[in-house]
Amino acid sequence: MSWTQEFKTARGDAATLSDIGDFNQLVSLAETVGRELQGGGVSSRQIRVLLSETTAGVSRIRRGRTLGIDTASPDRAQQDRAAQREAALLNISLVYSAGRAKSGETYIRQLTDLMGEVTGNVRTFEDFKVLRKFSEAVMAYFKFHGGK
């Protein structure tokens, strides 16, 4: 089963990321992804874009320093719209990284496909925070399984 299919199974009938009832399946998927990325010759630099962009995205949304927000204290509706935009922009960064991949290209492309599906389920700022936690888990398991 592909990572994207595993995500769809983990998501079940949840409308958004924050609606997922059992996060243990997401954690298990993050471990699978991290382990396979490590075994596939992918460097931490290649996947760090995922973690850095999601972490920076949360910060930008909170501070109102993202596209479409013109206030230092955005309300929930503004944050939710900004989260959707940040998720869409994350896909661009991943596609760029996949295009530049010299080693582990197959795995980076799989990660890009997976994250395209995951970011497509971001509707709120809370969903974007779940996305960030998932990104952290992928990197943590990558490192845990010996990734450099």
Side-chain angles (χ1 to χ4, degrees):
M1 183 179 326
S2 75
W3 297 341
T4 301
Q5 290 170 324
E6 285 186 50
F7 169 72
K8 288 178 181 178
T9 299
R11 188 190 75 218
D13 61 357
T16 67
L17 293 180
S18 56
D19 290 337
I20 294 173
D22 182 5
F23 281 105
N24 289 322
Q25 289 180 307
L26 278 182
V27 172
S28 178
L29 174 58
E31 180 172 16
T32 299
V33 171
R35 181 179 57 249
E36 291 182 15
L37 286 171
Q38 188 281 323
V42 175
S43 71
S44 62
R45 185 184 60 76
Q46 289 172 295
I47 60 173
R48 193 170 292 126
V49 67
L50 174 63
L51 180 58
S52 64
E53 286 295 319
T54 55
T55 300
V58 167
S59 178
R60 286 190 297 264
I61 293 166
R62 277 194 182 129
R63 293 179 301 146
R65 295 191 181 259
T66 187
L67 296 173
I69 297 180
D70 58 358
T71 179
S73 299
D75 63 28
R76 179 58 66 185
Q78 289 171 316
Q79 288 180 331
D80 291 348
R81 284 191 308 276
Q84 291 172 18
R85 284 190 293 273
E86 288 284 339
L89 293 173
L90 174 64
N91 288 334
I92 294 167
S93 297
L94 289 171
V95 168
Y96 177 74
S97 180
R100 294 191 61 211
K102 291 182 175 80
S103 63
E105 179 181 355
T106 302
Y107 290 96
I108 292 295
R109 289 189 186 279
Q110 271 189 285
L111 180 62
T112 301
D113 291 343
L114 169 63
M115 295 312 294
E117 183 68 29
V118 174
T119 58
N121 286 274
V122 172
R123 303 280 182 267
T124 66
F125 186 35
E126 291 304 310
D127 295 336
F128 197 86
K129 289 189 239 179
V130 172
L131 171 64
R132 179 192 56 183
K133 285 296 185 186
F134 180 74
S135 302
E136 289 174 357
V138 168
M139 181 60 99
Y141 280 115
F142 175 80
K143 293 286 193 175
F144 177 78
H145 288 291
K148 303 263 184 246

